[in-house]
Amino acid sequence: MPVIEELRAEIPPTLSRTFRVIPAPDFALRTTLASGQAFRWTEHDGWFYGCLGESIVKVRQQGEALEYEASSPSLTPARLTRYFALDLNLSDILSSINVDIQVHHAILRHRGLRVLRQDGWETLASFICASFNNIKRIEGMIDRLCLAYGRPVGLHGFRSFSFPAPETIAATTERQLRALGLGYRAPYLKATARLVADGTLKLAHLRRLDYDAVKRALLGCDGVGDKVADCVALFGFEKYEAFPIDVWMERAMRYYFRHRKMTRKGLHDYARRHFGAYAGYAQQYLFHDLRTSGRNA
DNA sequence: CGCCAGGTGCTGA
DNA sequence: TCAGCACATGGC
């Protein structure tokens, strides 16, 4: 268990605020939040603002620690530690996936990137929206979804909206969702929301199942194929064997198969054998590296 | 303007 | 099982 301390910022008493501090060794906050696994964080004056559940959190990294403040006491240090996966030993994970030069360089460049433990429903809904789409637009779509159907939340001057419950989205119409710019994903999202809302898909149960069972269950949702299921298993259900393959990862995988043309399934099977139990971490390092280094071809 | 984006579902072989 | 195709939309 991490040591928790509190510290009072050195500003005039009337403006003083109490921040909580949690240890964050071997962690890179900005890299993690910019790596395309979460879509709702925004940066202001060196602080990152996000919404976890029904509360806003503002957080910044100071060396090997995170300082944060939240709109609700339910956002405990333990909860944030868990969200950022700071309880995992990153060295061990990176050692296990550091099996070739390509991933080795990605690790050197982005060390501290961690796979978040996000809410299962939010991850599922978000990645249905993410299919055949670009990250900028995904962020806009999800913002509009929260604005229209979430509950207002705030911290000091910062205002936002929580992620809508499955019941709320299930109660909308396809037309309403299309009006938010979801395009052909609108009926997929609504159908999946209904599956969760009526209890056909019990997301709370998935956490204790293994990767294959989780993926099988997720594939039963409309708008969820191989890639989206892997993203949800990885970012929402801690299934680190999951290895989502999108167009960026297809490019990354050319490194291993210069000439032979491989199906996504072939690449997927190879990656899981090649990288092992934490293949998902390798995927996230390669994905982020390719997207941030201009050499994409 | 044309190309691309954290793909999926459907169809027909 | 697998290739080929349609699908909405906005950023660049």
Side-chain angles (χ1 to χ4, degrees):
Chain A
M1 262 298 139
V3 179
I4 311 304
E5 24 174 333
E6 299 209 333
L7 80 64
R8 190 160 290 274
E10 295 190 7
I11 44 180
T14 51
L15 293 175
S16 78
R17 283 175 184 152
T18 303
F19 301 109
R20 288 177 188 268
V21 180
I22 60 178
D26 213 352
F27 182 54
L29 177 65
R30 182 186 307 275
T31 306
T32 298
L33 294 181
S35 69
Q37 47 180 324
F39 302 107
R40 299 203 61 214
W41 287 89
T42 54
E43 187 176 4
H44 271 305
D45 299 328
W47 291 87
F48 290 90
Y49 291 77
C51 186
L52 303 194
E54 297 291 319
S55 52
I56 295 289
V57 56
K58 63 182 275 196
V59 57
R60 72 177 173 192
Q61 180 160 18
Q62 299 283 41
E64 299 236 306
L66 291 181
E67 296 179 358
Y68 84 94
E69 194 175 357
S71 64
S72 157
S74 66
L75 197 36
T76 61
R79 173 128 188 252
L80 209 57
T81 297
R82 176 173 169 69
Y83 178 82
F84 288 117
L86 298 171
D87 53 306
L88 296 183
N89 185 322
L90 190 65
S91 285
D92 291 347
I93 294 172
L94 296 184
S95 297
S96 77
I97 62 167
N98 195 355
V99 292
D100 64 62
I101 295 295
Q102 179 177 227
V103 75
H104 177 70
H105 283 135
I107 289 169
L108 286 182
R109 282 192 279 268
H110 309 295
R111 173 126 201 166
L113 168 56
R114 287 173 187 258
V115 171
L116 299 171
R117 293 198 191 93
Q118 301 184 70
D119 174 75
W121 160 244
E122 178 170 344
T123 308
L124 175 56
S126 296
F127 278 91
I128 286 174
C129 296
S131 79
F132 196 44
N133 208 342
N134 60 71
I135 290 180
K136 263 286 183 289
R137 187 158 83 101
I138 296 163
E139 291 169 349
M141 283 164 48
I142 294 174
D143 276 349
R144 291 190 293 278
L145 198 61
C146 294
L147 177 61
Y149 300 110
R151 316 165 90 119
V153 284
L155 175 63
H156 309 315
F158 185 84
R159 302 269 148 214
S160 186
F161 295 84
S162 63
F163 196 87
E167 293 77 10
T168 311
I169 294 183
T172 63
T173 64
E174 179 184 329
R175 171 190 288 276
Q176 287 175 302
L177 294 178
R178 281 185 187 266
L180 301 176
L182 297 204
Y184 62 85
R185 305 163 195 81
Y188 296 157
L189 181 61
K190 181 173 160 58
T192 294
R194 183 157 39 205
L195 227 50
V196 175
D198 71 17
T200 307
L201 177 61
K202 295 177 171 53
L203 291 180
H205 288 200
L206 297 191
R207 206 157 300 276
R208 72 188 70 160
L209 302 182
D210 66 16
Y211 164 67
D212 290 304
V214 168
K215 186 162 180 182
R216 203 160 44 242
L218 292 171
L219 285 174
C221 300
D222 241 13
V224 177
D226 223 41
K227 188 271 176 183
V228 169
D230 273 321
C231 284
V232 178
L234 180 59
F235 304 133
F237 292 94
E238 308 167 50
K239 302 307 171 195
Y240 298 114
E241 312 102 290
F243 193 91
I245 297 179
D246 68 339
V247 295
W248 293 97
M249 287 308 297
E250 241 165 23
R251 289 168 198 156
M253 296 299 281
R254 285 183 202 164
Y255 174 85
Y256 309 103
F257 303 95
R258 292 254 180 259
H259 308 297
R260 271 183 292 168
K261 53 178 163 187
M262 300 282 291
T263 63
R264 284 203 175 181
K265 166 135 183 56
L267 295 174
H268 192 264
D269 292 343
Y270 173 83
R272 284 187 67 191
R273 282 199 314 275
H274 184 60
F275 293 114
Y278 287 92
Y281 258 87
Q283 181 276 156
Q284 199 57 17
Y285 272 82
L286 292 173
F287 174 80
H288 184 62
D289 190 48
L290 206 62
R291 267 179 37 86
T292 54
S293 72
R295 60 160 177 85
N296 41 328

